Amino acid sequence: MIKKIAVLTSGGDSPGMNAAIRSIVRIAYHKKIKVVGILNGYLGLCQNNMIKLNLSTVSNILNRGGTILGTARYLKFYKKKNREIAIENMKKKGINALIVIGGNGTYIGAYKLYKMNFPCIGIPGTIDNDIYGTDYTIGYSTALETVVQAIDKIRDTSCSHQRISIIEIMGRNCGDLTLFSAIAGGCEFIVIPEIPYNEKKLIDNIKKNIHLGNKNAIIAITEKICNVKELAKKIEIHIKKETRATILGHIQRGGSPVSFDRILAFKMSLFAIKLLLKKKFGKCIGIKNNKIIYYDLNYFSQSKHTKLKKKLIKLASNLY
């Protein structure tokens, strides 16, 4: 019987993690379940760094970005001896199950704990929106709004100075944040990791765009595809037009979560606790076609389907 659960946030922080923590605590309270917060992710779990969570603890965190529990990337958790320590720490506290909020790395840790017979549930919290099995992750919508606002502001300067602007956007190996912010922001060129990068083709198409009479252009590109500062120099040399690169960086992670992320956090948290009470362990929560679903944690290694992205980028960008 589930009488006490723990919750942790791990990996990169995302707006809405606090909303999920709050929802878990409030829903658990009504189910007469006690909640323990793990500080600093899996590192805190191994260090026995835990605090009690109650209605008072989470009363004013709904609108706050980041995570009150802290987060860390702890690669040593992949070692079995460290996971054994983590499980022992939870058992000593009388914890019956663990809810993790994070991305793929967080899910891997939860799955490994589950394989060692400790009940775990995963809730997707990442701005990258790169989790298999869900249309949206908590934090993605907020980050999307942040990026679109940045694109709008950069466009003002790009138009005024008649320059080419490159905007580097987060996402790791997933182009969702770049693609949809570029569509919403009206970017002329889009470069995402799902489609092979061709620098020459990009420069040639920018040149065509300028020859057609366009005096400025904005290129949205996902991080780690290339060095955007160097790309700006090459474009300026080939096109003879001032080119600037802007790396948005961690500004995309912060800020108060938008309403969609707050509501999504509540829905997913409610479903997570329902699964625990039904003893459906080793699962993670998702949303598909506006319906909350669950699937096995071991699907974390699957890639999100890219066929739709390719169609959208052809319609929205001059690059393809």
Side-chain angles (χ1 to χ4, degrees), residues 101-173:
I101 307 167
N104 285 307
T106 305
Y107 278 15
I108 293 171
Y111 181 67
K112 288 182 178 291
L113 287 175
Y114 169 66
K115 293 298 287 183
M116 295 172 70
N117 299 314
F118 195 87
C120 291
I121 296 288
I123 293 177
T126 168
I127 68 166
D128 298 334
N129 206 42
D130 61 348
I131 303 296
Y132 173 84
T134 185
D135 291 337
Y136 303 107
T137 57
I138 296 169
Y140 166 71
S141 294
T142 304
L144 182 62
E145 290 300 317
T146 300
V147 176
V148 171
Q149 288 174 18
I151 291 172
D152 288 346
K153 291 174 181 178
I154 290 171
R155 181 175 293 281
D156 290 343
T157 296
S158 180
C159 289
S160 298
H161 291 267
Q162 300 180 22
R163 68 165 63 123
I164 296 167
S165 296
I166 304 169
I167 304 175
E168 183 182 279
I169 300 165
M170 281 183 166
R172 291 199 307 173
N173 299 317

Side-chain angles (χ1 to χ4, degrees), residues 292-304:
I292 302 297
I293 61 166
Y294 72 90
Y295 52 100
D296 292 338
L297 262 174
N298 61 335
Y299 286 125
F300 54 77
S301 63
Q302 301 292 317
S303 297
K304 295 191 76 172

Side-chain angles (χ1 to χ4, degrees), residues 76-123:
K76 291 182 180 179
F77 196 71
Y78 292 145
K79 294 182 179 180
K80 188 177 180 180
K81 65 177 182 179
N82 290 326
R83 296 196 301 277
E84 289 172 344
I85 292 171
I87 290 172
E88 186 62 25
N89 287 340
M90 286 190 285
K91 286 183 175 179
K92 285 179 180 178
K93 297 278 188 180
I95 295 167
N96 309 122
L98 173 67
I99 296 177
V100 303
I101 307 167
N104 285 307
T106 305
Y107 278 15
I108 293 171
Y111 181 67
K112 288 182 178 291
L113 287 175
Y114 169 66
K115 293 298 287 183
M116 295 172 70
N117 299 314
F118 195 87
C120 291
I121 296 288
I123 293 177

Side-chain angles (χ1 to χ4, degrees), residues 246-266:
T246 302
I247 300 172
L248 297 182
H250 287 90
I251 191 174
Q252 297 161 90
R253 286 200 185 280
S256 182
V258 296
S259 299
F260 184 88
D261 279 327
R262 300 183 196 194
I263 295 167
L264 183 63
F266 170 76

Side-chain angles (χ1 to χ4, degrees), residues 192-302:
I192 61 174
E194 289 86 349
I195 299 176
Y197 174 55
N198 187 323
E199 184 180 275
K200 184 180 182 302
K201 192 173 182 180
L202 171 61
I203 294 174
D204 286 345
N205 278 287
I206 295 171
K207 193 178 293 185
K208 289 176 186 177
N209 183 271
I210 299 300
H211 286 164
L212 287 172
N214 296 300
K215 296 179 180 179
N216 70 288
I218 294 182
I219 306 156
I221 182 169
T222 306
E223 63 182 343
K224 299 181 180 179
I225 289 178
C226 71
N227 185 317
V228 292
K229 301 288 186 181
E230 292 299 318
L231 176 60
K233 291 178 183 178
K234 290 179 181 178
I235 291 172
E236 194 163 291
I237 290 170
H238 283 86
I239 300 178
K240 311 298 182 188
K241 199 169 187 64
E242 184 182 12
T243 305
R244 298 285 179 87
T246 302
I247 300 172
L248 297 182
H250 287 90
I251 191 174
Q252 297 161 90
R253 286 200 185 280
S256 182
V258 296
S259 299
F260 184 88
D261 279 327
R262 300 183 196 194
I263 295 167
L264 183 63
F266 170 76
K267 288 180 177 180
M268 288 184 166
S269 299
L270 176 61
F271 205 75
I273 291 179
K274 283 183 177 179
L275 288 182
L276 288 178
L277 292 175
K278 290 179 180 179
K279 296 185 178 180
K280 291 184 180 291
F281 308 135
K283 308 297 182 184
C284 45
I285 314 300
I287 182 169
K288 281 284 186 181
N289 301 318
N290 208 32
K291 182 180 179 181
I292 302 297
I293 61 166
Y294 72 90
Y295 52 100
D296 292 338
L297 262 174
N298 61 335
Y299 286 125
F300 54 77
S301 63
Q302 301 292 317

